[in-house]
């Protein structure tokens, strides 16, 4: 069969007409390219069993007629339940009961809203994160630890109402992804065209199956014009911000119900200046420990982040970084927030190539030490599809998964950082599951081949900017549940980097944390 596949199906087949069911394939660069026709037997739905399992209770929130289910924050009650006097000692656990009511004053009879709790004291530049337990009946328990003496304020807020999460769940169930992306095709005659891309085949038109090109993870694109383009003409992607998502009324609801403060409570903490710090060096602890610790994993005091799991002995200075990273290669696979880490490391070590890390560009970036004897290389690459880019340089060969990069690494002692979050969260949870499992299998093989490698999983970070309807607190919660389960049998070989506590306690708003905040995040 030739390398050129000409679309054999009739666009816009009349409803009810007999539709041929067949598949055509060709091999290009050892990858299978497929073109599917309407009614094809292997139709891929938007949701899998994983999605239905975790999203089930949110399906009923489809519109804006919520009745008595919506929380009315002015009537929320919050109380400290383990010490009514609000006086504690350094190291104490502080427990709060939060009860949500509707506008009528009735206690909500179900859970699902996403709340957060943290503590801060401006005069000491101190802050820490806690966690919330949802009892499923409108009652939530907030847990936070007193880590320094003083008069801090405990803050409780609503990140996302369950009804907002329902709008997100129902949209991605119908459409696959909350953001639209198009494949750009260019044929032999130099003509170009665009076709919608996504994670499913729910369309009346024939599509190209690029799952193999995405290294086994589902990805499909419509051909822009059947008679002039074929699947092998696909060469680039671009985001499409013109595709409507929510109605204006829904957008108004989403913007007015997220990240809303519920209450602040002042407490008095007596005793030691701060809680005792661990003595063990982070380089010596078993990686499995990083998967087991719950909030708080650390806290800010006098603008300095103190890790409660281990002692980080590498200062953000040229000499200390040089001593740690000399004769090593660092590979980072993820989104632009991981690319920011490359910029931070390159700034500290004054590496060559950092100027290419321009915001909005997603081509691979390589930074190297000026002194060849130091032999330091830092590489950043974008992860696989779905990935949303709005620049002209989104060539498809720029977007490859961890499984590809781990297979081509030849260094004996590389450091590898992997991350999936903001782009994957526009798609169903099962897409995240699929990508993490693909990476996990590759990691197992890689560590057998390169036992001297260090693997780090960068966890999600807290931010409030550009949510566009994605309930990121909700997405992070489910993604952590899945990745902790998937990596359970190899967590002694892989380090999990909890970035949630440091960004929540600092009240980070930006999708891209500031340079000063990235320093403790990437140390």
């Amino acid at each position: 069969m030739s390398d050129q596949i000409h679309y054999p199906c009739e666009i816009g087949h009349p409803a009810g007409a007999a539709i041929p069911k067949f598949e055509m394939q060709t091999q290009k660069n050892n990858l299978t390219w497929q073109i599917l026709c309407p009614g094809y037997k292997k139709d891929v739905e938007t949701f899998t069993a994983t999605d239905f399992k975790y999203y089930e209770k949110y399906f009923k929130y489809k519109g804006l007629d919520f009745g008595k289910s919506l929380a009315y924050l002015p009537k929320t009650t919050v109380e400290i339940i383990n010490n009514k006097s609000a006086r504690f000692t350094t190291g104490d656990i502080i427990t709060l009961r939060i009860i949500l009511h509707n506008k009528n004053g009735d206690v909500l009879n179900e859970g699902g809203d996403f709340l957060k709790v943290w503590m801060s004291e401006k005069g000491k530049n101190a802050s820490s994160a806690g966690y919330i337990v949802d009892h499923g009946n409108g009652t939530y328990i907030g847990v936070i630890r007193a880590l320094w003496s003083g008069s801090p304020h405990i803050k409780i807020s609503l990140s996302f109402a369950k009804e907002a999460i329902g709008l997100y769940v129902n949209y991605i169930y119908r459409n696959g992804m909350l953001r639209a992306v198009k494949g750009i095709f260019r044929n032999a005659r130099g003509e170009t065209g665009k076709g919608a891309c996504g994670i499913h085949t729910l369309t009346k038109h024939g599509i190209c199956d690029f799952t193999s090109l995405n290294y086994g993870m589902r990805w499909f694109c419509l051909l822009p014009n059947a008679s002039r383009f074929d699947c092998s003409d696909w060469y680039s992607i671009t985001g499409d911000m013109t595709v409507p998502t929510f109605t204006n009324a829904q957008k108004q609801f989403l913007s007015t119900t997220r990240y809303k403060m519920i209450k602040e409570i002042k407490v008095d903490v007596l005793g030691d200046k701060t809680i005792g710090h661990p003595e063990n060096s982070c380089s010596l602890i078993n990686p499995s420990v990083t998967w087991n610790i719950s909030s708080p994993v650390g806290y800010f005091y006098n603008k300095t982040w103190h890790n409660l799991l281990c002692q980080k002995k590498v200062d953000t200075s040229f000499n200390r970084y040089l001593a740690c990273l000399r004769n090593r290669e660092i590979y980072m696979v993820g989104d632009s927030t991981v690319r920011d880490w490359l910029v931070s490391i390159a700034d500290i070590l004054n590496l060559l190539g950092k100027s290419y890390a321009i915001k909005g560009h997603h081509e691979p970036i390589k930074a190297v030490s000026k002194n060849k004897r130091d032999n330091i290389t830092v590489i950043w690459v974008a992860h696989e599809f779905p990935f949303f880019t709005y620049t002209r340089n989104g060539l498809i060969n720029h977007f490859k998964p961890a499984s590809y990069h781990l297979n081509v690494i030849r260094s004996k002692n590389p450091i590898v950082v992997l991350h999936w979050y903001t782009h994957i969260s526009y798609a169903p949870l099962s897409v995240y599951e699929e990508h993490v499992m693909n990476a996990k299998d590759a990691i197992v093989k890689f560590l057998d081949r390169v036992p001297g490698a260090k693997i780090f999983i960068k966890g999600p970070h807290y931010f409030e900017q550009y949510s566009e309807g994605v309930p990121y607190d909700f997405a992070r919660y489910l993604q952590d549940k899945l990745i902790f389960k998937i990596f359970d049998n190899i967590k002694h070989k892989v380090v999990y980097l909890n970035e949630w506590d440091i960004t929540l306690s600092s009240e980070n708003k930006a999708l891209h944390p500031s340079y000063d905040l990235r320093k403790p995040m990437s140390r």
Side-chain angles (χ1 to χ4, degrees), residues 253-317:
F253 171 77
L254 292 172
S255 65
T256 56
T257 57
R258 65 189 180 205
Y259 308 124
K260 297 300 178 182
M261 186 65 69
I262 295 175
K263 193 167 187 178
E264 288 191 27
I265 300 177
K266 177 181 171 294
V267 296
D268 292 314
V269 182
L270 308 176
D272 296 336
K273 181 179 179 180
T274 63
I275 194 171
H277 296 155
E279 296 181 359
N280 294 331
S281 170
C282 292
S283 62
L284 299 177
I285 65 170
N286 189 305
S288 62
V289 178
T290 63
W291 296 84
N292 298 331
I293 192 169
S294 61
S295 296
V297 299
Y299 67 101
F300 280 104
Y301 191 85
N302 195 23
K303 296 184 178 180
T304 300
W305 178 254
H306 298 277
N307 194 311
L308 291 175
L309 179 60
C310 55
Q311 188 176 151
K312 294 189 175 183
K313 297 184 177 181
V314 178
D315 298 324
T316 53
S317 66

Side-chain angles (χ1 to χ4, degrees), residues 4 15 33 56 86 102 192 200 223 247 293 310 345 353 363 367 400 445 458 475 482 510 514:
Q4 296 295 315
W33 302 65
E56 181 181 10
N102 61 24
T192 61
H200 62 79
L223 282 171
T247 65
I293 192 169
C310 55
I345 295 173
E363 71 269 27
K400 295 178 180 178
K445 296 176 183 177
K458 175 184 177 289
L482 282 184
S514 68

